[in-house]
Coordinates of all heavy atoms in Angstrom, one line a residue:
E103 N 151.4 -24.8 -89.6 CA 151.1 -26.0 -88.9 C 151.8 -26.0 -87.5 O 151.2 -26.3 -86.5 CB 151.6 -27.2 -89.6 CG 151.3 -28.6 -88.9 CD 151.9 -29.7 -89.6 OE1 152.4 -29.7 -90.8 OE2 151.6 -30.9 -89.2
G104 N 153.1 -25.5 -87.5 CA 153.9 -25.5 -86.2 C 153.2 -24.5 -85.2 O 153.1 -24.7 -84.0
R105 N 152.7 -23.4 -85.7 CA 152.0 -22.3 -84.8 C 150.7 -22.9 -84.3 O 150.4 -22.7 -83.2 CB 151.9 -21.1 -85.6 CG 153.1 -20.3 -85.9 CD 153.0 -19.0 -86.5 NE 152.4 -19.0 -87.8 CZ 153.2 -19.1 -89.0 NH1 154.6 -19.2 -88.9 NH2 152.7 -19.2 -90.2
R106 N 150.0 -23.6 -85.2 CA 148.7 -24.2 -84.6 C 149.1 -25.2 -83.5 O 148.4 -25.3 -82.5 CB 148.0 -24.9 -85.8 CG 147.2 -24.0 -86.7 CD 146.2 -24.8 -87.5 NE 146.8 -25.9 -88.3 CZ 147.3 -25.6 -89.5 NH1 147.2 -24.3 -90.0 NH2 147.9 -26.5 -90.3
R107 N 150.1 -26.0 -83.7 CA 150.4 -27.0 -82.7 C 150.9 -26.3 -81.4 O 150.5 -26.7 -80.3 CB 151.6 -27.9 -83.3 CG 151.8 -29.2 -82.5 CD 152.5 -30.1 -83.4 NE 153.7 -29.7 -84.0 CZ 154.0 -29.7 -85.3 NH1 153.1 -30.1 -86.1 NH2 155.1 -29.2 -85.7
F108 N 151.6 -25.2 -81.5 CA 152.1 -24.4 -80.4 C 150.9 -23.9 -79.6 O 150.7 -24.0 -78.4 CB 153.0 -23.2 -80.9 CG 153.5 -22.4 -79.8 CD1 154.5 -22.8 -79.0 CD2 153.0 -21.0 -79.7 CE1 155.1 -21.9 -78.0 CE2 153.5 -20.2 -78.7 CZ 154.5 -20.6 -77.9
L109 N 150.0 -23.3 -80.4 CA 148.8 -22.8 -79.8 C 147.9 -23.9 -79.1 O 147.3 -23.7 -78.0 CB 147.9 -22.0 -80.8 CG 146.5 -21.5 -80.3 CD1 146.6 -20.6 -79.1 CD2 145.7 -20.9 -81.5
D110 N 147.7 -25.0 -79.8 CA 146.9 -26.1 -79.2 C 147.6 -26.7 -78.0 O 146.9 -27.1 -77.1 CB 146.7 -27.2 -80.2 CG 145.7 -26.8 -81.4 OD1 144.8 -26.0 -81.0 OD2 145.6 -27.4 -82.4
R111 N 148.9 -26.7 -77.8 CA 149.5 -27.2 -76.6 C 149.1 -26.2 -75.5 O 148.9 -26.7 -74.4 CB 151.0 -27.4 -76.8 CG 151.3 -28.7 -77.5 CD 152.5 -29.3 -76.8 NE 152.3 -29.7 -75.4 CZ 151.6 -30.7 -75.0 NH1 151.3 -31.7 -75.8 NH2 151.5 -31.0 -73.7
M112 N 149.3 -24.9 -75.7 CA 148.9 -24.0 -74.7 C 147.4 -24.1 -74.3 O 147.0 -24.0 -73.2 CB 149.2 -22.6 -75.1 CG 150.7 -22.3 -75.2 SD 151.1 -20.6 -75.4 CE 150.6 -20.2 -77.1
T113 N 146.5 -24.2 -75.4 CA 145.2 -24.4 -75.2 C 144.8 -25.6 -74.4 O 144.0 -25.6 -73.4 CB 144.3 -24.5 -76.6 OG1 144.6 -23.2 -77.3 CG2 142.9 -24.5 -76.3
M114 N 145.5 -26.7 -74.6 CA 145.3 -27.9 -73.9 C 145.7 -27.8 -72.4 O 145.1 -28.4 -71.5 CB 146.1 -29.1 -74.5 CG 145.8 -30.5 -74.2 SD 146.9 -31.7 -74.7 CE 147.1 -31.3 -76.4
S115 N 146.7 -26.9 -72.2 CA 147.1 -26.8 -70.7 C 146.0 -26.1 -69.9 O 145.8 -26.5 -68.8 CB 148.4 -25.9 -70.7 OG 148.2 -24.5 -70.9
F116 N 145.2 -25.2 -70.6 CA 144.0 -24.7 -69.9 C 142.8 -25.6 -69.9 O 142.0 -25.6 -68.9 CB 143.7 -23.3 -70.6 CG 144.8 -22.3 -70.5 CD1 145.4 -21.8 -71.6 CD2 145.1 -21.8 -69.3 CE1 146.2 -20.7 -71.5 CE2 146.1 -20.8 -69.2 CZ 146.7 -20.2 -70.3
T117 N 142.6 -26.2 -71.0 CA 141.4 -27.0 -71.3 C 141.8 -28.4 -71.7 O 142.0 -28.6 -73.0 CB 140.5 -26.3 -72.3 OG1 140.2 -25.0 -72.0 CG2 139.2 -27.1 -72.4
P118 N 142.1 -29.4 -70.8 CA 142.5 -30.7 -71.2 C 141.6 -31.4 -72.2 O 142.1 -32.2 -73.1 CB 142.5 -31.5 -69.9 CG 142.8 -30.4 -68.8 CD 142.0 -29.2 -69.3
D119 N 140.3 -31.1 -72.3 CA 139.4 -31.7 -73.2 C 139.6 -31.2 -74.6 O 139.1 -31.8 -75.6 CB 137.9 -31.4 -72.8 CG 137.5 -32.1 -71.6 OD1 138.1 -33.2 -71.2 OD2 136.4 -31.9 -71.0
H120 N 140.4 -30.2 -74.8 CA 140.7 -29.7 -76.1 C 141.4 -30.8 -77.0 O 141.2 -30.9 -78.2 CB 141.7 -28.5 -76.0 CG 142.0 -27.8 -77.3 ND1 141.1 -27.3 -78.1 CD2 143.2 -27.8 -78.1 CE1 141.7 -26.7 -79.2 NE2 142.9 -27.1 -79.2
A121 N 142.2 -31.6 -76.3 CA 142.9 -32.8 -77.0 C 141.9 -33.7 -77.6 O 142.1 -34.1 -78.8 CB 143.8 -33.5 -76.0
E122 N 140.8 -34.0 -76.9 CA 139.8 -34.9 -77.5 C 139.0 -34.2 -78.6 O 138.7 -34.9 -79.6 CB 138.8 -35.3 -76.3 CG 139.4 -36.1 -75.3 CD 138.5 -36.5 -74.2 OE1 137.3 -36.3 -74.3 OE2 139.0 -36.9 -73.0
A123 N 138.8 -32.9 -78.5 CA 138.1 -32.2 -79.6 C 139.0 -32.3 -80.9 O 138.4 -32.5 -81.9 CB 137.8 -30.8 -79.2
V124 N 140.3 -32.0 -80.7 CA 141.2 -32.1 -81.9 C 141.3 -33.5 -82.5 O 141.2 -33.6 -83.8 CB 142.6 -31.6 -81.4 CG1 143.7 -31.8 -82.6 CG2 142.6 -30.1 -81.1
L125 N 141.3 -34.5 -81.7 CA 141.4 -35.9 -82.1 C 140.1 -36.2 -82.9 O 140.0 -36.8 -84.0 CB 141.6 -36.8 -81.1 CG 143.0 -36.8 -80.5 CD1 143.1 -37.8 -79.3 CD2 144.1 -37.3 -81.5
T126 N 138.9 -35.7 -82.4 CA 137.6 -36.0 -83.0 C 137.6 -35.4 -84.4 O 137.1 -36.0 -85.4 CB 136.4 -35.5 -82.0 OG1 136.4 -36.3 -80.8 CG2 135.2 -35.8 -82.7
Y127 N 138.0 -34.1 -84.4 CA 137.9 -33.4 -85.6 C 138.8 -34.0 -86.7 O 138.4 -34.2 -87.9 CB 138.3 -31.9 -85.4 CG 138.3 -31.0 -86.6 CD1 137.1 -30.5 -87.1 CD2 139.5 -30.8 -87.3 CE1 137.2 -29.6 -88.2 CE2 139.5 -30.0 -88.4 CZ 138.3 -29.4 -88.9 OH 138.3 -28.6 -90.0
E128 N 140.0 -34.3 -86.3 CA 141.0 -34.9 -87.3 C 140.5 -36.2 -87.8 O 140.7 -36.5 -89.0 CB 142.4 -35.0 -86.7 CG 143.0 -33.6 -86.4 CD 144.3 -33.8 -85.7 OE1 144.7 -34.8 -85.3 OE2 145.1 -32.7 -85.7
K129 N 140.0 -37.0 -87.0 CA 139.5 -38.3 -87.5 C 138.3 -38.1 -88.4 O 138.2 -38.8 -89.4 CB 139.0 -39.1 -86.2 CG 138.4 -40.5 -86.6 CD 138.0 -41.3 -85.4 CE 137.4 -42.7 -85.8 NZ 137.0 -43.4 -84.5
A130 N 137.3 -37.2 -88.1 CA 136.3 -37.0 -89.0 C 136.7 -36.4 -90.3 O 136.2 -36.6 -91.4 CB 135.2 -36.1 -88.2
M131 N 137.7 -35.4 -90.2 CA 138.2 -34.8 -91.4 C 138.8 -35.8 -92.4 O 138.7 -35.8 -93.6 CB 139.1 -33.7 -91.1 CG 139.6 -32.9 -92.2 SD 140.7 -31.5 -91.9 CE 142.1 -32.3 -91.1
R132 N 139.6 -36.8 -91.8 CA 140.2 -37.8 -92.6 C 139.1 -38.5 -93.4 O 139.3 -39.0 -94.5 CB 141.1 -38.7 -91.8 CG 142.4 -38.2 -91.3 CD 143.3 -39.3 -90.8 NE 142.8 -39.8 -89.6 CZ 143.0 -39.4 -88.3 NH1 143.7 -38.3 -88.2 NH2 142.5 -40.1 -87.3
E133 N 138.0 -38.8 -92.7 CA 136.9 -39.6 -93.4 C 136.3 -38.7 -94.4 O 136.0 -39.2 -95.5 CB 135.8 -40.0 -92.3 CG 134.6 -40.7 -92.8 CD 134.9 -42.0 -93.6 OE1 136.0 -42.6 -93.2 OE2 134.2 -42.5 -94.4
R134 N 136.1 -37.4 -94.1 CA 135.6 -36.5 -95.2 C 136.5 -36.4 -96.4 O 136.1 -36.4 -97.6 CB 135.3 -35.2 -94.5 CG 134.6 -34.2 -95.6 CD 134.4 -32.9 -94.9 NE 133.6 -32.0 -95.8 CZ 134.0 -31.1 -96.6 NH1 135.4 -31.0 -96.7 NH2 133.2 -30.4 -97.3
N135 N 137.8 -36.4 -96.0 CA 138.8 -36.3 -97.2 C 138.8 -37.6 -98.0 O 138.9 -37.5 -99.3 CB 140.2 -36.1 -96.7 CG 140.4 -34.6 -96.2 OD1 139.6 -33.7 -96.4 ND2 141.4 -34.4 -95.4
R136 N 138.6 -38.7 -97.5 CA 138.4 -40.0 -98.2 C 137.2 -39.9 -99.1 O 137.2 -40.3 -100.3 CB 138.3 -41.1 -97.2 CG 138.4 -42.5 -97.9 CD 138.2 -43.6 -97.0 NE 136.8 -43.6 -96.4 CZ 135.7 -44.1 -97.1 NH1 135.7 -44.5 -98.3 NH2 134.5 -43.9 -96.6
L137 N 136.1 -39.3 -98.6 CA 134.9 -39.3 -99.4 C 135.1 -38.3 -100.6 O 134.6 -38.6 -101.6 CB 133.7 -38.8 -98.5 CG 133.2 -39.6 -97.4 CD1 132.2 -38.9 -96.7 CD2 132.6 -41.0 -98.0

């Protein structure tokens, strides 16, 4: 988890929209996990 977070911060520095993609994915995954 920590390594993914480290990579995602570097990725976000290059591609700011990456943050929105991660938030969208996590929100949808929480809904799928509830189902």
